[in-house]
Amino acid sequence: MLSAQNFGESGKMKEYHYAGPTEHRFSPYAFNGGTVLAVAGEDFAIVASDTRLSEGYSIHSRDSPKCYKLTDTTVLGCSGFHGDCLTLTKIIDARLKMYKHSNNKTMTSGAIAAMLSTILYSRRFFPYYVYNIIGGLDEQGKGAVYSFDPVGSYQRDTYKAGGSASAMLQPLLDNQIGFKNMEGVEHVPLTKDKAVQLVKDVFVSAAERDVYTGDALRICIVTKEGIEEQNIPLRKD
Amino acid sequence: TKIQEFAVPVGNEPSGFLRSCNREEGVRIDLNHGTTTLAFKFRHGVIVAVDSRASAGNYLASNDANKVIEINPYLLGTMSGSAADCQYWERLLAKECRLYKLRNNHRISVAAASKLLCNMMLGYRGMGLSMGSMICGWDKEGPGLYYVDHNGTRLSGRMFSTGCGNSYAYGVVDSGYKEDMTVEEAYELGCRGIAHATHRDAYSGGSVNMYHMREDGWIKVCKEDVSELIHRYREGMF
């Protein structure tokens, strides 16, 4: 264990504690940052992500959104290790095509979620380092959000934040959308415009306090008319 | 038939692999975990009660996770340990139970279903799976309750509790259990067991999901928020 009193008055190293032998091996993973968020409404779903791609102290790109359009009614947000995000989305696209060719119909959001769970679990012993959130419309046309852990455990939610700033955003969403920790407040259902404004505000807050989140915000709004995209600039520092 | 293949990392220790990656700069792979579940047999069937918290490391991933899988109207499976492992293997068990019914024209017994799950676990023993499950049902032999875990342990019994909060639940249920309880008393005991466990165990919480396995199938009894329950019990506590 390194002692806190490393430097004496003259600035020279005072004490040195030997920590013991450590092993360094090639790490197949890297952390590329990024935050993803999805909200489900009565007849819409919103999937939003920042567009910063970082590694350590560097920024690789300011324009690398983490939302991937899967079908006309489903968007996938994935953050974590960018290499695994790319491979995973390639595999999902291929499986979607195969399903379309065998079954003559597009996969529903629920079916994509179940399939993603098994794809992730097939790598149970060497996981995809990706935090996934699917946002879309279910068969009844209602908004649906499915959140996953890296090895495929999933459940349907109303709202979920994932990625580097998830621990900062989730409590804010719990309060504003879930009305948690508030007494005597009327539970107003979320409209699409209010939801979009909330998502923008929430990401602005995340960019203030999380170093891996910023640059720009990409919002995908899924309704039965299709998928609308918006780009909003965020802090670039 | 196609056999499921799992990708394995380089080296001979898959169970230690993830742990070693977590020491690297910025990389933190935390999987959803943690629970308290309990089940006990009594005169009028089997009571199954679970909490609903899913934690990933120190972060609370979800407070309304579903830890009971409804395999068929006469079979339930509970999940504790790693959420992904439980969800995957118990869904696979549900598939096997359905295939059994189609091939043999009668429903699978609780003993056979639990043995199927147990053998799945034995196939991957030592590779780092984490699952503690109770298979409850009602078949020709009457009410059935089996405990199955990731080591391949399979035990039939009158009462089990699994998960990190299990010791608290055992204390409560052991002291309140009577073979000839009424149904209401049993519901109350199940709620109390989970509520007190969530009160003292950091990795359990959310709400109590309770099921009652009867001769004509299971019913979902209630879904109660744990903080409300503790508040109610506190009235009589001090």
Side-chain angles (χ1 to χ4, degrees):
Chain A
M1 248 169 305
L2 283 173
S3 159
Q5 288 283 88
N6 272 338
F7 296 95
E9 279 149 330
S10 59
K12 291 216 166 83
M13 285 267 279
K14 237 175 42 162
E15 290 159 339
Y16 180 66
H17 289 243
Y18 182 53
T22 53
E23 186 194 337
H24 284 278
R25 55 197 291 284
F26 165 70
S27 171
Y29 299 115
F31 181 60
N32 293 120
T35 308
V36 185
L37 156 50
V39 178
E42 186 55 42
D43 58 352
F44 65 92
I46 298 176
V47 180
S49 76
D50 72 325
T51 61
R52 172 175 289 178
L53 190 75
S54 36
E55 185 167 349
Y57 291 109
S58 313
I59 295 180
H60 287 315
S61 165
R62 294 194 193 276
D63 185 22
S64 168
K66 294 153 192 70
C67 310
Y68 299 90
K69 174 170 149 354
L70 297 180
T71 68
D72 284 330
T73 53
T74 319
V75 177
L76 169 67
C78 22
S79 67
F81 171 41
H82 191 61
D84 277 346
C85 294
L86 291 176
T87 304
L88 188 59
T89 45
K90 275 201 188 94
I91 290 181
I92 295 174
D93 279 334
R95 292 284 297 266
L96 282 173
K97 266 199 197 112
M98 281 157 57
Y99 183 97
K100 185 89 183 283
H101 289 141
S102 323
N103 301 86
N104 205 18
K105 65 178 183 129
T106 329
M107 279 187 96
T108 60
S109 295
I112 297 178
M115 178 183 75
L116 180 54
S117 172
T118 47
I119 291 176
L120 291 170
Y121 200 83
S122 73
R123 296 280 299 246
R124 166 66 175 79
F125 303 112
F126 187 2
Y128 288 114
Y129 182 19
V130 188
Y131 289 92
N132 294 289
I133 307 184
I134 288 182
L137 301 176
D138 66 8
E139 280 133 280
Q140 277 77 41
K142 288 196 157 86
V145 165
Y146 297 92
S147 61
F148 296 77
D149 84 341
V151 278
S153 136
Y154 81 108
Q155 63 173 67
R156 185 168 174 175
D157 290 309
T158 319
Y159 53 87
K160 189 81 178 171
S164 56
S166 58
M168 284 181 223
L169 300 186
Q170 189 68 30
L172 186 48
L173 297 177
D174 283 334
N175 179 266
Q176 292 295 305
I177 307 181
F179 302 104
K180 300 270 171 72
N181 301 310
M182 291 206 281
E183 295 277 332
V185 183
E186 197 199 326
H187 286 13
V188 197
L190 201 61
T191 62
K192 186 169 73 116
D193 296 322
K194 258 207 104 204
V196 172
Q197 191 50 52
L198 183 64
V199 166
K200 289 179 188 168
D201 290 340
V202 142
F203 263 91
V204 166
S205 309
E208 293 285 323
R209 290 290 182 175
D210 180 34
V211 302
Y212 295 112
T213 304
D215 293 332
L217 166 64
R218 169 74 64 91
I219 307 185
C220 298
I221 307 166
V222 187
T223 53
K224 63 178 193 306
E225 277 87 45
I227 301 182
E228 179 203 331
E229 279 185 10
Q230 287 184 23
N231 278 305
I232 288 103
L234 291 174
R235 287 184 77 115
K236 291 181 167 36
D237 59 358
Chain B
T1 43
K2 189 168 80 115
I3 299 177
Q4 171 71 301
E5 281 172 8
F6 290 99
V8 182
V10 182
N12 12 350
E13 237 243 286
S15 59
F17 172 72
L18 256 189
R19 234 175 299 134
S20 66
C21 286
N22 269 352
R23 272 185 259 127
E24 306 295 328
E25 277 288 325
V27 171
R28 228 207 130 60
I29 305 182
D30 286 323
L31 311 179
N32 292 351
H33 237 105
T35 322
T36 310
T37 70
L38 67 85
F40 56 85
K41 281 193 213 173
F42 71 121
R43 177 167 299 180
H44 304 283
V46 192
I47 297 289
V48 177
V50 302
D51 78 317
S52 65
R53 175 166 289 188
S55 46
N58 290 328
Y59 179 66
L60 234 172
S62 168
N63 238 346
D64 58 6
N66 186 15
K67 302 189 187 181
V68 176
I69 178 167
E70 298 156 7
I71 297 173
N72 67 45
Y74 291 83
L75 251 191
L76 290 173
T78 67
M79 310 186 191
S80 73
S82 162
D85 290 338
C86 291
Q87 278 187 12
Y88 182 85
W89 292 107
E90 293 194 29
R91 279 187 72 201
L92 198 58
L93 175 65
K95 183 191 96 167
E96 291 298 324
C97 291
R98 178 79 185 123
L99 283 175
Y100 181 96
K101 174 130 193 284
L102 289 169
R103 289 174 178 143
N104 300 282
N105 225 4
H106 65 91
R107 245 182 273 115
I108 192 171
S109 64
V110 188
S114 59
K115 201 154 220 182
L116 279 174
L117 185 62
C118 166
N119 287 329
M120 290 177 201
M121 290 296 107
L122 285 171
Y124 291 90
R125 195 175 143 130
M127 294 189 75
L129 293 182
S130 164
M131 186 199 81
S133 160
M134 293 176 304
I135 305 296
C136 329
W138 198 301
D139 57 20
K140 286 203 290 276
E141 318 287 320
L145 176 58
Y146 282 82
Y147 165 75
V148 179
D149 79 8
H150 56 272
N151 293 129
T153 304
R154 174 176 163 267
L155 299 167
S156 168
R158 299 202 57 79
M159 188 228 298
F160 291 106
S161 174
T162 70
C164 30
N166 71 351
S167 29
Y168 306 109
Y170 272 131
V172 171
V173 180
D174 278 333
S175 59
Y177 181 85
K178 294 191 299 274
E179 160 64 29
D180 54 357
M181 278 187 288
T182 65
V183 173
E184 273 67 41
E185 282 171 348
Y187 291 168
E188 184 60 20
L189 190 61
C191 271
R192 271 187 191 263
I194 296 291
H196 287 288
T198 60
H199 188 51
R200 288 293 178 179
D201 177 32
Y203 293 97
S204 305
S207 29
V208 182
N209 283 312
M210 187 148 60
Y211 290 74
H212 179 187
M213 179 66 67
R214 305 192 298 206
E215 189 162 4
D216 54 354
W218 55 259
I219 53 161
K220 176 135 192 215
V221 176
C222 67
K223 182 189 173 68
E224 295 241 33
D225 188 300
V226 159
S227 24
E228 311 271 316
L229 284 174
I230 290 288
H231 204 71
R232 215 193 306 152
Y233 300 150
R234 189 150 286 194
E235 304 292 311
M237 233 162 32
F238 294 108

